[in-house]
Structures are given as C-alpha cells and as structure tokens.
Amino acid sequence: MAISARGEKVKRRMRTDSGVKMSEVSGRNTGGGIRTGHAGVAEWTVLLTIYMATDVFLSYPSRVAQEAAEAAWMVPLISGAIAALAYVAIHWMMKGHPTESLLDIVERALTPVGSIVVGLIGFAYFVLQTALVMREFTETVVATVLPETPAAVVTILFLMIVMYYAYKGLEGMTRVAILISAFLVIGFGLLLILPLTWFHSYLLTPILGKGLGAVALNGLTNTSMFAGVFILAVMRSSVRNQRHTLRIGLISTLASALIMSVVLLLFVGTFAVAVTGKVPFPMYQLARLIYVGRFVQRVESLYVFIWTAAAIMKMGLGLWIAAYLYARAFHMPTMRPLILPMGMMLFVLSFLPPDFTTVIQLSGELLERFGWAVTIALPVIALLVATIVASIRRRAHGEGEKDDPKDDHGFTERGGAGAQ
Amino acid sequence: MSIFQFLLVMIVPAMISVYAWNFAIWLWRSGNRLGGVGGFLLTLVSGGGSLGYFVFKLLI
C-alpha cells in the first residue's frame, strides 16, 4: 500500500518536472484542455518584462528616434500608459472569470468560431513577429560579432535553443527568466551607466522634438511593442495567484516602458538625433563607447551574452505562445508537437525578406504600425463583444441565470471546451 | 547541383513534415476532427511551404 502510494507520488512529481502536466497535479485546467502548468507572479512579471523590453536591443530605438526626434524617450512612456490602461480594461472585463482565459470567454460568448478567429489572428501575429525578430537578431550577430559566419548557420543555432526553450513549457521558461534576470539587470545597468561620459543633456532639446502631435501619434502606434497585454489575457488562467494578475500586467508593462525610455534618452543624448537613423544597432554602439581606463574597454563582447540571452527568451516565448494559440484554436489536447513544424516555419519566414533593410522596413511599417490592432485592440474588442453578447443573452433568458453567483457577466453554460 | 546536395537540404523539412502529418493523423483518428484539420493545415503550411522554399532556393 505504502509502496503503491509512493510510486503514484513519484509519477505525479515526474509529470510536474516535465513542465506540462502541472495543472493535472493541481487539478486545474488552464484553457481548452491544454496543460500548460502555472507560474508565479514574479516569474510571469519578469518573463513579460524581458519579452517586451528586448526590443531595445534591436532597431527599435533607432526607428523611434527618427520618428519622434529629441522627444523619443516620451514615446514608450505614452505607449506603456495606453497599454497599461488597456490591460486594466481587460482585467475588469475578465474579473468574473478567474480561471478562464480570453479564448475561453470568447468561445463561450461567440461560439468556437470566435475563439478560432481570435486564436489564429494571434498565432499569425506572433509567428510573423518572432520570425522578424529572429532575422533581425541574426543579422545583428552576423554584422557585429560573427561577420564570417553564414546567416543560416546563426539562425539554425538560435532556432535550436529557442525550440528547446519553448519545448520546456511555461514553467521552464518562467524559471529560466527569473534566474537570468539578476544578470540581465546588472549587465544592462552597467551598460547604461558606463557610457554616460558621452551623454550631453543639450542634445535632448527641443524637449518636444517634432511636436506634441508627432510624439502622441508615435506613442499610440508603438503600443504594439507591449504584446504582453495580449499574452497575459490569453494565459491569465496559468497565473498561480489569480488575485495578482493586474499587478503582473501593470508592472511588466510599465517596467518595460521605463527601460525603453531610459535607453532612448541615453541613445539620443549620446549620438544626437541627426545620426540616429544611421545607427542600426544602438545598444551595441553604446557598448562600444565604453572606455573606463586602459583595462575596461571593448566590453561589447560581454554585452553579446546579455543580448543573446534576452533574445532567446523573447523568441522562445513568441514561439511558445504561437504554438499555444494554434493548439487552443483547433482544440488540440497538446501543443508540444507543434513546436518543431513551427520552428521550421519561423526559419523559412525569417529568410523570406531579401535583406536587412527589408526586415527593418517590415518591422517598422507593418508590425509596429498595425501590430497594436492585434496586441491591444483585439483582446479589448473581443472581450467587449463577449460581454455585450452575454448581457443580451442574460436579458433574453430572464432573471434565472442572472442570480448565478459565479458569473457576473451572465455566462452560464460552458460550451465547446474542446479537447478535454 | 548534385542529387546528394538536394537530398541533404530536403531531409530535415521532409522529416518534420512527416512528423506533423503523423500528429495530424493521430488527432483525426482519436476523434478530434477539428484538431486533425488544424494539424493537416499546419503540415501544409509549414511542411509544404518550407519544402517549396528550399526547392525554389536550390533551383534559382
């Protein structure tokens, strides 16, 4: 009897360690039958902050500095504030459904077709974004530290680590993020402090750059950088302590906005607006400027480790959430088998643009300009429509269902939960 | 280009396509028709797309 009980305990623990069956142990389903496991508040906050703030290593600072000139540092703050407000609205609309995700609520109100549409739009966005980020990081590595290596080799190496990272599941990803976060914070802090000798505050004037209108417009369109809002709305049920989901959304959004703002402030204050468009890898250039005596110089080689770690976490979460959305949209019982084909899809998509210039153009003119429609507007509108439909149904069905204490939005029947 | 070069480039996408196809068949046979359709669609897009891309790159 004791041996049997111990064997069962070990079996349950092994399932937990694999990172997939955690919710089976805890007895809570995390959306559409897919077992994703759970992550704590700190883990989720760190992973989402890294996911959103990693764009500072790419061409994002250069693009924003070109668009908003000296006031570029205000753009992420405005975008972050809008994204945070959107998350507050999402949180408010999902408040009555603590164990359900965005897709569960949409499916219940708008039939499974609604969740398939929302899931596939999200999947397409994250696949495209991850593919472009992968190509951008590959080109950056090839142009800066490995000029003799073919781009395909760098991408394949990146992809292998990214697929392994995504394969470890939500719990693995969040744990790695929180373990590495200390090194990232220290390294990133040093990277921002050490080149301060080149910083000139007069380069930040006129303070409003190209004007308040340009800054506000850029702030509005750049909300696409805060895709964490969408991810958290989809993965809300996987947060271990449901009371703190609002805290995760707000802290991760505002922290990443602050990081982006500080980077832009230093970037414009160091290089001046006139040349920002000609600096394709701003953080790398900042790292190259570091010269603290004879023995502390050329530290960009250390910076590459920080940059690669952050890139892998960003691409890993991008691939994982794309696989999750696809599996959830089609009611698949598991998502792991999708990671390999999707990794191959990422490889092909990342090499479709002929050169680095096209990649930057696509990132700036497609994803940054219209990405907010998926990352911010889609969850808000989908939840709003779901709430209105539920309200209409509640009125149509009379007072009986209104008294359900578990559901203040009027959802009373669980439909189309899919593969369970 | 030799036939061996062609096979070398094709082998990984072909194997991943077979894997995705088998996953779709497993879903279909286990009664999850919607999942099966999703699996076949993914095989078509990822497998077909990547095989087409590599063939195009090799021939051009």
Side-chain angles (χ1 to χ4, degrees):
Chain A
M1 181 75 177
I3 293 168
S4 166
R6 192 167 175 272
E8 187 59 33
K9 199 176 165 187
V10 169
K11 205 192 287 178
R12 281 161 63 118
R13 207 168 76 196
M14 282 168 72
R15 283 179 179 177
T16 310
D17 291 344
S18 74
V20 180
K21 301 283 186 183
M22 181 69 186
S23 58
E24 196 175 301
V25 176
S26 69
R28 191 151 51 122
N29 188 2
T30 56
I34 303 168
R35 315 289 183 180
T36 57
H38 297 92
V41 175
E43 286 90 343
W44 257 120
T45 309
V46 168
L47 184 64
L48 288 179
T49 307
I50 292 171
Y51 181 81
M52 291 185 274
T54 302
D55 285 308
V56 296
F57 293 115
L58 300 169
S59 54
Y60 167 76
S62 196
R63 274 201 302 271
V64 175
Q66 260 190 312
E67 288 163 3
E70 289 85 357
W73 62 274
M74 294 180 194
V75 170
L77 294 180
I78 295 170
S79 312
I82 295 168
L85 282 176
Y87 187 71
V88 170
I90 289 169
H91 179 80
W92 181 76
M93 285 189 276
M94 293 176 83
K95 214 174 173 181
H97 318 275
T99 55
E100 287 185 326
S101 75
L102 168 74
L103 295 180
D104 291 327
I105 295 169
V106 169
E107 185 169 284
R108 191 180 293 183
L110 306 173
T111 73
V113 177
S115 74
I116 290 175
V117 171
V118 173
L120 287 184
I121 291 172
F123 157 75
Y125 173 82
F126 282 104
V127 162
L128 274 178
Q129 201 231 20
T130 309
L132 283 177
V133 166
M134 188 172 284
R135 178 66 184 275
E136 229 177 306
F137 267 114
T138 302
E139 293 288 346
T140 314
V141 169
V142 170
T144 54
V145 286
L146 298 171
E148 300 290 324
T149 314
V153 173
V154 177
T155 307
I156 288 170
L157 289 173
F158 255 139
L159 200 56
M160 282 164 68
I161 305 166
V162 164
M163 284 197 299
Y164 178 74
Y165 184 61
Y167 193 80
K168 295 315 281 180
L170 178 69
E171 292 178 357
M173 288 193 299
T174 49
R175 283 172 192 163
V176 169
I178 204 150
L179 279 173
I180 291 185
S181 63
F183 298 102
L184 287 181
V185 168
I186 294 167
F188 198 71
L190 285 174
L191 191 68
L192 294 179
I193 291 167
L194 291 178
L196 273 178
T197 45
W198 299 85
F199 180 79
H200 301 290
S201 55
Y202 64 83
L203 291 174
L204 295 166
T205 52
I207 199 147
L208 283 177
K210 290 183 179 175
L212 205 59
V215 175
L217 187 68
N218 275 300
L220 197 66
T221 53
N222 274 292
T223 42
S224 56
M225 292 290 110
F226 298 93
V229 170
F230 184 88
I231 295 174
L232 196 56
V234 170
M235 297 309 303
R236 192 168 175 268
S237 52
S238 69
V239 178
R240 196 164 276 125
N241 192 342
Q242 291 291 323
R243 285 177 302 164
H244 296 143
T245 48
L246 182 64
R247 195 183 292 177
I248 299 171
L250 290 182
I251 293 176
S252 60
T253 305
L254 297 176
S256 44
L258 195 67
I259 291 168
M260 288 178 188
S261 180
V262 170
V263 168
L264 277 160
L265 196 76
L266 286 175
F267 177 51
V268 176
T270 306
F271 291 105
V273 170
V275 295
T276 47
K278 299 182 184 89
V279 183
F281 320 115
M283 289 302 289
Y284 181 74
Q285 297 297 335
L286 272 176
R288 287 196 66 164
L289 287 178
I290 295 171
Y291 185 93
V292 188
R294 183 179 294 174
F295 297 107
V296 186
Q297 55 175 309
R298 301 303 303 265
V299 291
E300 66 266 21
S301 48
L302 292 174
Y303 152 75
V304 170
F305 288 105
I306 298 171
W307 167 37
T308 312
I312 285 165
M313 281 189 268
K314 182 177 174 75
M315 291 187 286
L317 182 59
L319 173 61
W320 185 86
I321 196 77
Y324 175 83
L325 285 167
Y326 193 86
R328 177 64 187 77
F330 284 104
H331 292 169
M332 292 176 183
T334 176
M335 52 174 283
R336 271 186 170 175
L338 303 182
I339 287 173
L340 205 57
M342 280 188 190
M344 192 171 65
M345 201 195 291
L346 285 182
F347 179 83
V348 172
L349 281 174
S350 69
F351 276 97
L352 282 183
D355 48 40
F356 188 47
T357 318
T358 317
V359 175
I360 292 181
Q361 271 180 348
L362 280 172
S363 294
E365 290 172 17
L366 186 73
L367 284 186
E368 261 180 39
R369 192 163 292 176
F370 303 109
W372 60 269
V374 178
T375 57
I376 304 290
L378 181 68
V380 173
I381 292 170
L383 281 172
L384 204 62
V385 172
T387 309
I388 291 167
V389 168
S391 173
I392 292 167
R393 274 188 196 164
R394 188 174 56 191
R395 283 184 189 171
H397 287 99
E399 293 297 310
E401 293 174 2
K402 200 163 64 176
D403 296 334
D404 188 350
K406 289 179 183 172
D407 195 342
D408 60 355
H409 288 237
F411 300 120
T412 52
E413 57 178 309
R414 183 177 171 81
Q420 291 191 24
Chain B
M1 164 169 304
S2 71
I3 186 75
F4 296 107
Q5 267 182 304
F6 187 78
L7 286 176
L8 198 66
V9 174
M10 286 297 155
I11 196 158
V12 174
M15 281 170 73
I16 295 175
S17 304
V18 169
Y19 175 74
W21 180 261
N22 281 326
F23 177 58
I25 287 176
W26 174 74
L27 284 170
W28 185 269
R29 284 189 181 158
S30 57
N32 188 347
R33 295 298 156 99
L34 186 61
V37 170
F40 288 125
L41 206 63
L42 183 71
T43 311
L44 193 74
V45 174
S46 69
S50 53
L51 284 170
Y53 170 80
F54 287 119
V55 169
F56 182 76
K57 289 291 270 187
L58 288 170
L59 295 179
I60 297 299

